[in-house]
């Protein structure tokens, strides 16, 4: 879907688009008829529906086959793409082996985030004239700006050279859009987040507001943005507010969980370590006709990382995993790095050991190593019993940002040295029973690899530290090219957009 098509979808069609379903508790809105966009946004209820639609795009982290975590894992040294064969999930395979091109990249990595931006732009244009409580209007505005910033941050990191659009455009304008300097995009992201923070709530009422953006979440995102820009002083300041005293409860109520494994308990949602959490549900009744079109609300990553053809033999004591598609296979490199680490058992499942013991039968995935991403592997007890296709209706939430991540980012922003950086690193290690080691940039990035394995952070960490070409040389990674993705061919046709260098 090109920019032009998204424009027509988001603005020209009836407002039914803005009445999409969403898995987060606070976003349960029932569509009741349609109204043309020009007559919409007259009431607080209609504004709320518009906000629902802006939030819905954040689900791309683990929703649909072309989700962000599966993509970013596939391109890192911690995972192979896997799947059924070298052609299974081609949009992931070409990123994993660095043959990706303008004609093989999945367009949704561009389209979906721009769809969220266009929804945000429309809502921000309409909100000033909506007849509603001013404090509520300010909050909706802040949430919309924060979401727009998040979507632009995703795009500028993936593609670098992207259009910066902050208002709804006419049809003709879409043919003349040009790319902005990345510094302009980052400046807009900073502005949106900075303007949003004061009008966001410090804490959320989880019974009715779970999944919404809070002050702490916006500060964490802003800190991450500053860090990626190399503005370490500003980044450390934002993270310090979010993190508070390492190991204690921060002013925003964040605290490391005592038990690392509890992070992956499917029912332990919105816990004290969660800063920005994306919710999924097993109640959407999504079927194959919904999948990938934005109206499915299940976690697709779950079935993707599950073992293919998994069956326990009679009397087996092996975990009762649901069969899946065998993507994001763990590499020997990550296995060796984590072997002996207390987080291993919550991160990696060595299924080959069960096969060798005769307790399990399975179909070996492409690039099979025997090691699977346990953090997201579903059990049969997690399988939906509702309507639709059960494999498309898993409910495990994902963390876009959690406290251990912000601890390590603050330590990095502090230059990997000093008393506070040491305390931040120590807190992450102490939580899993590991002793203190001298803080350094290398120690921090090694800790990030072990703590955040499989959560979609490793590829960006390799790229932004300049280590991707070395770590991924055997995959075909080319320095000066593969740090960013090619712009999809459909976006270049009949537009003024230019392809990224060396593609």
């Amino acid at each position: 879907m090109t920019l032009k098509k998204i424009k027509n979808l988001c603005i020209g069609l009836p407002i039914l688009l803005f009445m999409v379903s969403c898995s987060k508790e606070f976003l349960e809105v029932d569509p009741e008829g349609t109204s043309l966009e020009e007559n919409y946004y007259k009431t607080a209820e209609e504004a709320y529906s518009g906000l629902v639609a802006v939030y819905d795009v954040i689900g791309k982290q683990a929703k649909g086959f072309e989700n962000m975590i599966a993509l970013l894992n596939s391109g890192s040294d911690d995972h192979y793409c896997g799947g059924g064969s070298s052609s299974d999930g081609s949009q992931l395979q070409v990123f994993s082996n660095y043959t990706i091109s303008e004609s093989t990249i999945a367009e949704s990595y561009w389209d979906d985030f721009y769809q969220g931006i266009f929804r945000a732009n429309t809502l921000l244009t309409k909100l000033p004239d909506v007849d509603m409580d001013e404090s509520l209007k300010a909050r909706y505005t802040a949430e919309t700006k924060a979401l727009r910033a998040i979507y632009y941050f995703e795009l500028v990191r993936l593609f670098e050279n992207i259009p910066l659009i902050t208002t709804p455009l006419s049809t003709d304008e879409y043919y003349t859009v040009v790319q902005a300097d990345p510094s302009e995009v980052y400046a807009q992201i900073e502005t949106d987040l900075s303007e949003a923070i004061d009008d966001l709530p410090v804490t959320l009422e989880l019974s009715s507001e779970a999944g919404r953006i809070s002050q702490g979440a916006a500060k964490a995102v802003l800190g991450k943005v500053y860090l990626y820009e190399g503005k370490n002083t500003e980044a450390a300041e934002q993270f310090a507010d979010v993190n508070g005293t390492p190991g204690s409860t921060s002013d925003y109520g964040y605290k490391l969980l005592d038990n690392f494994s509890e992070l992956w308990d499917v029912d332990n949602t919105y816990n004290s370590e969660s800063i920005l959490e994306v919710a999924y549900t097993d109640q959407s009744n999504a079927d194959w006709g919904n999948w990938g079109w934005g109206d499915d609300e299940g976690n697709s990553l779950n079935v993707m990382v599950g073992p293919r053809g998994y069956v326990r033999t009679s009397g087996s004591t092996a975990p009762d995993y649901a069969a899946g598609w065998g993507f994001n296979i763990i590499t020997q490199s990550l296995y060796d790095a984590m072997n002996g680490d207390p987080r291993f058992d919550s991160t990696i499942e060595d299924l080959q050991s069960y096969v060798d013991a005769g307790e399990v039968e399975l179909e070996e995935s492409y690039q099979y190593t025997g090691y699977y991403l346990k953090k997201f592997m579903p059990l049969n007890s997690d399988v939906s019993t509702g309507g639709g296709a059960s494999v498309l209706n898993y409910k495990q939430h994902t963390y876009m940002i959690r406290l251990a991540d912000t601890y390590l980012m603050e330590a990095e922003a502090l230059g990997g040295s000093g008393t506070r950086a040491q305390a931040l690193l120590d807190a992450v290690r102490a939580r899993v029973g590991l002793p203190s080691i001298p803080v350094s940039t290398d120690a921090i990035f090694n800790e990030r690899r072990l703590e955040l394995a499989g959560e979609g952070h490793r590829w960006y960490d390799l790229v932004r530290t300049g280590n991707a070409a070395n770590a991924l040389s055997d995959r075909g990674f080319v320095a000066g090219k593969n740090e960013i993705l090619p712009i999809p061919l459909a976006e270049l046709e009949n537009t003024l957009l230019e392809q990224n260098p060396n593609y």
Side-chain angles (χ1 to χ4, degrees), residues 23 31 47 142 211 265 279 308 340 351 357 387 448 465:
S23 60
D265 180 343
R308 300 178 68 86
L351 288 185
R448 286 184 63 80
T465 57

Side-chain angles (χ1 to χ4, degrees), residues 314-365:
S314 178
S316 173
T317 60
D320 189 21
Y321 290 120
W325 301 341
F327 285 93
N328 282 183
I329 293 297
I330 300 289
T331 63
Q332 188 68 46
S333 174
L334 180 61
Y335 179 96
D336 292 343
M338 293 205 71
N339 194 15
D341 187 278
R343 291 162 289 204
F344 181 99
D345 288 342
S346 295
T347 303
I348 298 176
E349 186 64 89
D350 179 1
L351 288 185
Q352 185 59 42
S353 65
Y354 289 109
V355 173
D356 293 342
E359 294 197 53
V360 161
E361 295 177 356
L362 55 76
E363 175 188 341
E364 292 189 3
S365 300

Side-chain angles (χ1 to χ4, degrees), residues 25 58 98 138 154 157 189 214-215 221 289 437 453 461 475-476:
E25 285 87 339
I58 207 168
Y98 292 97
E154 295 279 23
R157 288 188 297 162
I189 294 170
S214 64
Q215 268 191 30
V221 175
I437 58 174
D461 284 351
R475 300 277 190 96

Side-chain angles (χ1 to χ4, degrees), residues 127-183:
L127 273 173
D129 297 324
V130 177
D131 183 14
M132 61 186 295
D133 177 80
E134 289 301 317
S135 62
L136 189 61
K137 182 186 296 186
R139 179 178 180 181
Y140 286 9
T141 300
E143 289 176 276
T144 305
K145 286 183 176 181
L147 288 165
R148 181 170 69 178
I150 289 169
Y151 301 152
Y152 266 125
F153 189 41
E154 295 279 23
L155 285 164
V156 76
R157 288 188 297 162
L158 281 175
F159 299 99
E160 189 170 291
N161 303 298
I162 62 173
L164 177 61
I165 304 168
T166 56
T167 59
L169 302 181
S170 66
T171 301
D172 291 342
E173 288 176 306
Y174 279 82
Y175 294 93
T176 59
V177 167
V178 297
Q179 287 135 305
D181 188 285
S183 63

Side-chain angles (χ1 to χ4, degrees), residues 68 84 88 182 231 233 333 362 366 378 383:
M68 292 304 299
D88 187 15
K231 297 181 178 180
T233 300
S333 174
L362 55 76
Y366 174 58
V383 175

